Amino acid sequence: MTSTYAAQPTLLCLCLAGALITFPLQTAHADTLSDCMQRRLFTSNDSVTVGAIRAQCLDELKVKSPTSQQAVAAPTAVEKRIREERENILKPFTLTAHRANYILPFAYNSSGYNSSHHGVKGNGEPYDFKDAEAQFQISLKTPLMTDLFNGRVDVYAAYTNHSFWQVYDSDDSSPFRETTHEPEIWLQFHPNWEFLGFKNTGNLFGFNHQSNGQSDLRSRSWNRLFATILVERGDLALAVRPWLAFYDEDADADNPDLSDYMGHFDLMATYRMGEHTFSMRGQNNLESGFSRGGLELSWSFPLWNWPYLRGYVQYYTGYGESLIDYDQYVNRLGIGFSLSDWL
């Protein structure tokens, strides 16, 4: 078998405490700081120091710096998500979203799907997959260690499942055409550097394994060491994720040219506009002269007043949509529901 992978993002920062101009204003901030610290004392684990909690609350409240009279800018979209995660993820029995979680009851590929990888049915006839199917993704993460080195580093683990379900193929008992499993682990740093108006919210370094859990000719897998650089400005977040693929020479080379289609990095952009979220993820192989790779565009939007379910439209074009068909061109549009966005 073969291997390679990637990653994704998050933040946490340390800001200095503020000097305020008037006594009433100081009292208001002190009360708010006290409330914040009391709340975090009940949600943080035993290894978190009081100093780390104070620094987190000062960052959350955006108190003025003692050397400057200019208030720190309002929290960005990524900062808001990370703040909410940190307040809830350490509570018992809690898992949080990693990547987007969604279901597409109807996904149509105008280029069709290749069934030759799946052999033949019990009666000797070849499979004839439908161009329309259902797809869904479940992606969850949990912290293994947090607030290391005075709140600068966290350790996370995650699992993502992406399934392709031929629900409309009743002749073949509606089989799952493909299911991709993707466990990963990473270190998450929070440098909070700023450059040209962009803030480097987080940097990740980790290991990822991706496979379809099959054997023989249907087997697809790779391992990757990855790094993710996340920057943001207002409600716009950008993440570039280069990776280094390495292969198990003792295993059968079932997908030796996977990197020729999946490339060596991907780029993600997400923009939050009111209650709407627009995302783009692209991967390409530079050596192919940009003739290979894939592009995914998505839009999530509110559905009436439902607080937990959103409308979702996703478009994918190019190669690498699934591991089983990584070298097959796909032109697919899906419509469904989103349970969680990146922002």
Side-chain angles (χ1 to χ4, degrees), residues 261-286:
Y261 293 88
M262 305 289 274
H264 308 287
F265 73 97
D266 63 8
L267 175 66
M268 183 170 184
T270 300
Y271 181 69
R272 179 95 176 180
M273 187 173 67
E275 294 298 317
H276 299 256
T277 301
F278 302 90
S279 299
M280 180 276 293
R281 183 181 66 84
Q283 59 193 24
N284 214 310
N285 186 297
L286 301 180

mmCIF file of all heavy atoms in Angstrom, residues 261-286:
data_model
loop_
_atom_site.group_PDB
_atom_site.id
_atom_site.type_symbol
_atom_site.label_atom_id
_atom_site.label_comp_id
_atom_site.label_asym_id
_atom_site.label_seq_id
_atom_site.Cartn_x
_atom_site.Cartn_y
_atom_site.Cartn_z
ATOM 1 N N TYR A 261 -1.921 13.199 -8.732
ATOM 2 C CA TYR A 261 -3.272 13.773 -8.854
ATOM 3 C C TYR A 261 -3.653 14.625 -7.643
ATOM 4 O O TYR A 261 -4.372 15.609 -7.787
ATOM 5 C CB TYR A 261 -4.298 12.644 -9.034
ATOM 6 C CG TYR A 261 -4.156 11.915 -10.338
ATOM 7 C CD1 TYR A 261 -3.292 10.824 -10.460
ATOM 8 C CD2 TYR A 261 -4.859 12.325 -11.471
ATOM 9 C CE1 TYR A 261 -3.148 10.151 -11.664
ATOM 10 C CE2 TYR A 261 -4.723 11.661 -12.677
ATOM 11 C CZ TYR A 261 -3.865 10.579 -12.775
ATOM 12 O OH TYR A 261 -3.719 9.921 -13.981
ATOM 13 N N MET A 262 -3.173 14.237 -6.466
ATOM 14 C CA MET A 262 -3.519 14.975 -5.248
ATOM 15 C C MET A 262 -2.553 16.108 -4.955
ATOM 16 O O MET A 262 -2.851 16.993 -4.154
ATOM 17 C CB MET A 262 -3.562 14.018 -4.048
ATOM 18 C CG MET A 262 -4.486 12.822 -4.245
ATOM 19 S SD MET A 262 -6.228 13.265 -4.231
ATOM 20 C CE MET A 262 -6.557 13.211 -2.473
ATOM 21 N N GLY A 263 -1.372 16.067 -5.570
ATOM 22 C CA GLY A 263 -0.406 17.136 -5.397
ATOM 23 C C GLY A 263 0.341 17.051 -4.073
ATOM 24 O O GLY A 263 0.348 16.022 -3.394
ATOM 25 N N HIS A 264 0.963 18.179 -3.699
ATOM 26 C CA HIS A 264 1.793 18.249 -2.507
ATOM 27 C C HIS A 264 1.314 19.307 -1.515
ATOM 28 O O HIS A 264 1.987 19.564 -0.515
ATOM 29 C CB HIS A 264 3.242 18.544 -2.904
ATOM 30 C CG HIS A 264 3.768 17.603 -3.950
ATOM 31 N ND1 HIS A 264 4.092 16.290 -3.682
ATOM 32 C CD2 HIS A 264 4.001 17.782 -5.284
ATOM 33 C CE1 HIS A 264 4.515 15.694 -4.795
ATOM 34 N NE2 HIS A 264 4.464 16.570 -5.769
ATOM 35 N N PHE A 265 0.185 19.909 -1.805
ATOM 36 C CA PHE A 265 -0.366 20.909 -0.885
ATOM 37 C C PHE A 265 -1.801 21.201 -1.290
ATOM 38 O O PHE A 265 -2.253 20.849 -2.383
ATOM 39 C CB PHE A 265 0.443 22.210 -0.936
ATOM 40 C CG PHE A 265 0.223 23.008 -2.203
ATOM 41 C CD1 PHE A 265 -0.690 24.060 -2.222
ATOM 42 C CD2 PHE A 265 0.901 22.703 -3.373
ATOM 43 C CE1 PHE A 265 -0.912 24.789 -3.380
ATOM 44 C CE2 PHE A 265 0.682 23.418 -4.535
ATOM 45 C CZ PHE A 265 -0.226 24.471 -4.539
ATOM 46 N N ASP A 266 -2.545 21.837 -0.378
ATOM 47 C CA ASP A 266 -3.836 22.391 -0.756
ATOM 48 C C ASP A 266 -3.993 23.767 -0.108
ATOM 49 O O ASP A 266 -3.241 24.145 0.801
ATOM 50 C CB ASP A 266 -5.003 21.452 -0.430
ATOM 51 C CG ASP A 266 -5.171 21.171 1.042
ATOM 52 O OD1 ASP A 266 -4.486 21.805 1.873
ATOM 53 O OD2 ASP A 266 -5.989 20.297 1.392
ATOM 54 N N LEU A 267 -4.934 24.504 -0.620
ATOM 55 C CA LEU A 267 -5.189 25.874 -0.177
ATOM 56 C C LEU A 267 -6.678 26.000 0.110
ATOM 57 O O LEU A 267 -7.510 25.577 -0.694
ATOM 58 C CB LEU A 267 -4.775 26.880 -1.254
ATOM 59 C CG LEU A 267 -5.089 28.361 -0.978
ATOM 60 C CD1 LEU A 267 -4.260 28.869 0.201
ATOM 61 C CD2 LEU A 267 -4.813 29.201 -2.223
ATOM 62 N N MET A 268 -7.006 26.588 1.268
ATOM 63 C CA MET A 268 -8.395 26.760 1.641
ATOM 64 C C MET A 268 -8.659 28.210 1.979
ATOM 65 O O MET A 268 -7.843 28.878 2.610
ATOM 66 C CB MET A 268 -8.758 25.875 2.827
ATOM 67 C CG MET A 268 -10.221 25.958 3.236
ATOM 68 S SD MET A 268 -10.682 24.707 4.455
ATOM 69 C CE MET A 268 -12.437 25.023 4.595
ATOM 70 N N ALA A 269 -9.808 28.710 1.533
ATOM 71 C CA ALA A 269 -10.251 30.062 1.861
ATOM 72 C C ALA A 269 -11.699 30.002 2.314
ATOM 73 O O ALA A 269 -12.514 29.309 1.707
ATOM 74 C CB ALA A 269 -10.110 30.984 0.650
ATOM 75 N N THR A 270 -12.014 30.695 3.392
ATOM 76 C CA THR A 270 -13.374 30.748 3.918
ATOM 77 C C THR A 270 -13.729 32.187 4.242
ATOM 78 O O THR A 270 -12.935 32.917 4.839
ATOM 79 C CB THR A 270 -13.522 29.900 5.190
ATOM 80 O OG1 THR A 270 -13.201 28.541 4.897
ATOM 81 C CG2 THR A 270 -14.940 29.958 5.719
ATOM 82 N N TYR A 271 -14.921 32.590 3.823
ATOM 83 C CA TYR A 271 -15.377 33.960 4.082
ATOM 84 C C TYR A 271 -16.771 33.926 4.692
ATOM 85 O O TYR A 271 -17.666 33.253 4.179
ATOM 86 C CB TYR A 271 -15.402 34.777 2.784
ATOM 87 C CG TYR A 271 -15.832 36.208 2.998
ATOM 88 C CD1 TYR A 271 -15.012 37.101 3.680
ATOM 89 C CD2 TYR A 271 -17.061 36.664 2.525
ATOM 90 C CE1 TYR A 271 -15.402 38.412 3.892
ATOM 91 C CE2 TYR A 271 -17.458 37.980 2.727
ATOM 92 C CZ TYR A 271 -16.614 38.850 3.405
ATOM 93 O OH TYR A 271 -17.010 40.147 3.617
ATOM 94 N N ARG A 272 -16.909 34.614 5.793
ATOM 95 C CA ARG A 272 -18.192 34.687 6.493
ATOM 96 C C ARG A 272 -18.830 36.037 6.191
ATOM 97 O O ARG A 272 -18.268 37.089 6.467
ATOM 98 C CB ARG A 272 -17.966 34.545 7.988
ATOM 99 C CG ARG A 272 -19.233 34.636 8.822
ATOM 100 C CD ARG A 272 -19.796 33.286 9.130
ATOM 101 N NE ARG A 272 -20.955 33.337 10.013
ATOM 102 C CZ ARG A 272 -21.618 32.287 10.422
ATOM 103 N NH1 ARG A 272 -21.234 31.082 10.042
ATOM 104 N NH2 ARG A 272 -22.662 32.396 11.209
ATOM 105 N N MET A 273 -20.020 36.013 5.583
ATOM 106 C CA MET A 273 -20.738 37.237 5.250
ATOM 107 C C MET A 273 -22.115 37.168 5.887
ATOM 108 O O MET A 273 -23.024 36.515 5.370
ATOM 109 C CB MET A 273 -20.857 37.414 3.735
ATOM 110 C CG MET A 273 -21.453 38.758 3.321
ATOM 111 S SD MET A 273 -21.401 39.008 1.528
ATOM 112 C CE MET A 273 -22.555 37.742 0.982
ATOM 113 N N GLY A 274 -22.246 37.804 7.047
ATOM 114 C CA GLY A 274 -23.496 37.712 7.775
ATOM 115 C C GLY A 274 -23.738 36.287 8.223
ATOM 116 O O GLY A 274 -22.906 35.679 8.904
ATOM 117 N N GLU A 275 -24.871 35.707 7.827
ATOM 118 C CA GLU A 275 -25.203 34.331 8.173
ATOM 119 C C GLU A 275 -24.815 33.345 7.077
ATOM 120 O O GLU A 275 -25.170 32.166 7.143
ATOM 121 C CB GLU A 275 -26.707 34.217 8.448
ATOM 122 C CG GLU A 275 -27.163 34.990 9.669
ATOM 123 C CD GLU A 275 -26.500 34.483 10.946
ATOM 124 O OE1 GLU A 275 -26.402 33.248 11.103
ATOM 125 O OE2 GLU A 275 -26.079 35.319 11.768
ATOM 126 N N HIS A 276 -24.074 33.806 6.077
ATOM 127 C CA HIS A 276 -23.670 32.960 4.962
ATOM 128 C C HIS A 276 -22.165 32.691 5.034
ATOM 129 O O HIS A 276 -21.385 33.586 5.366
ATOM 130 C CB HIS A 276 -24.019 33.611 3.628
ATOM 131 C CG HIS A 276 -25.487 33.859 3.444
ATOM 132 N ND1 HIS A 276 -26.281 33.069 2.635
ATOM 133 C CD2 HIS A 276 -26.318 34.797 3.970
ATOM 134 C CE1 HIS A 276 -27.523 33.512 2.667
ATOM 135 N NE2 HIS A 276 -27.570 34.562 3.479
ATOM 136 N N THR A 277 -21.762 31.467 4.712
ATOM 137 C CA THR A 277 -20.355 31.092 4.706
ATOM 138 C C THR A 277 -19.995 30.522 3.343
ATOM 139 O O THR A 277 -20.636 29.587 2.858
ATOM 140 C CB THR A 277 -20.048 30.045 5.796
ATOM 141 O OG1 THR A 277 -20.399 30.579 7.081
ATOM 142 C CG2 THR A 277 -18.575 29.692 5.801
ATOM 143 N N PHE A 278 -18.949 31.097 2.735
ATOM 144 C CA PHE A 278 -18.458 30.652 1.430
ATOM 145 C C PHE A 278 -17.056 30.078 1.616
ATOM 146 O O PHE A 278 -16.198 30.708 2.243
ATOM 147 C CB PHE A 278 -18.424 31.811 0.440
ATOM 148 C CG PHE A 278 -19.760 32.487 0.241
ATOM 149 C CD1 PHE A 278 -20.129 33.565 1.041
ATOM 150 C CD2 PHE A 278 -20.638 32.031 -0.724
ATOM 151 C CE1 PHE A 278 -21.362 34.188 0.868
ATOM 152 C CE2 PHE A 278 -21.875 32.647 -0.899
ATOM 153 C CZ PHE A 278 -22.231 33.728 -0.098
ATOM 154 N N SER A 279 -16.829 28.871 1.050
ATOM 155 C CA SER A 279 -15.535 28.210 1.217
ATOM 156 C C SER A 279 -15.013 27.706 -0.116
ATOM 157 O O SER A 279 -15.787 27.358 -1.020
ATOM 158 C CB SER A 279 -15.640 27.036 2.200
ATOM 159 O OG SER A 279 -16.038 27.480 3.478
ATOM 160 N N MET A 280 -13.690 27.679 -0.221
ATOM 161 C CA MET A 280 -13.015 27.149 -1.398
ATOM 162 C C MET A 280 -11.820 26.327 -0.943
ATOM 163 O O MET A 280 -11.073 26.743 -0.064
ATOM 164 C CB MET A 280 -12.541 28.287 -2.300
ATOM 165 C CG MET A 280 -11.824 27.835 -3.579
ATOM 166 S SD MET A 280 -10.048 27.470 -3.359
ATOM 167 C CE MET A 280 -9.405 29.091 -3.000
ATOM 168 N N ARG A 281 -11.679 25.141 -1.509
ATOM 169 C CA ARG A 281 -10.496 24.320 -1.242
ATOM 170 C C ARG A 281 -9.962 23.788 -2.553
ATOM 171 O O ARG A 281 -10.697 23.189 -3.339
ATOM 172 C CB ARG A 281 -10.834 23.151 -0.311
ATOM 173 C CG ARG A 281 -9.612 22.305 0.062
ATOM 174 C CD ARG A 281 -9.997 21.148 0.974
ATOM 175 N NE ARG A 281 -10.858 20.198 0.286
ATOM 176 C CZ ARG A 281 -10.412 19.208 -0.497
ATOM 177 N NH1 ARG A 281 -9.111 19.072 -0.716
ATOM 178 N NH2 ARG A 281 -11.259 18.378 -1.071
ATOM 179 N N GLY A 282 -8.692 24.031 -2.810
ATOM 180 C CA GLY A 282 -8.095 23.587 -4.062
ATOM 181 C C GLY A 282 -6.807 22.835 -3.814
ATOM 182 O O GLY A 282 -6.045 23.153 -2.891
ATOM 183 N N GLN A 283 -6.563 21.806 -4.622
ATOM 184 C CA GLN A 283 -5.310 21.059 -4.574
ATOM 185 C C GLN A 283 -4.849 20.860 -5.998
ATOM 186 O O GLN A 283 -5.659 20.713 -6.912
ATOM 187 C CB GLN A 283 -5.499 19.709 -3.875
ATOM 188 C CG GLN A 283 -6.533 18.816 -4.547
ATOM 189 C CD GLN A 283 -6.940 17.637 -3.682
ATOM 190 O OE1 GLN A 283 -6.822 17.683 -2.469
ATOM 191 N NE2 GLN A 283 -7.414 16.571 -4.324
ATOM 192 N N ASN A 284 -3.529 20.871 -6.201
ATOM 193 C CA ASN A 284 -3.030 20.730 -7.559
ATOM 194 C C ASN A 284 -1.628 20.163 -7.547
ATOM 195 O O ASN A 284 -0.928 20.224 -6.537
ATOM 196 C CB ASN A 284 -3.038 22.074 -8.291
ATOM 197 C CG ASN A 284 -3.341 21.912 -9.775
ATOM 198 O OD1 ASN A 284 -2.729 21.102 -10.448
ATOM 199 N ND2 ASN A 284 -4.303 22.673 -10.272
ATOM 200 N N ASN A 285 -1.247 19.594 -8.680
ATOM 201 C CA ASN A 285 0.100 19.092 -8.873
ATOM 202 C C ASN A 285 0.806 20.025 -9.843
ATOM 203 O O ASN A 285 0.453 20.090 -11.028
ATOM 204 C CB ASN A 285 0.059 17.662 -9.429
ATOM 205 C CG ASN A 285 1.445 17.048 -9.505
ATOM 206 O OD1 ASN A 285 2.303 17.541 -10.223
ATOM 207 N ND2 ASN A 285 1.658 15.979 -8.763
ATOM 208 N N LEU A 286 1.778 20.775 -9.329
ATOM 209 C CA LEU A 286 2.454 21.771 -10.164
ATOM 210 C C LEU A 286 3.183 21.129 -11.334
ATOM 211 O O LEU A 286 3.281 21.714 -12.403
ATOM 212 C CB LEU A 286 3.435 22.571 -9.309
ATOM 213 C CG LEU A 286 2.827 23.323 -8.116
ATOM 214 C CD1 LEU A 286 3.915 24.083 -7.351
ATOM 215 C CD2 LEU A 286 1.740 24.277 -8.577
#
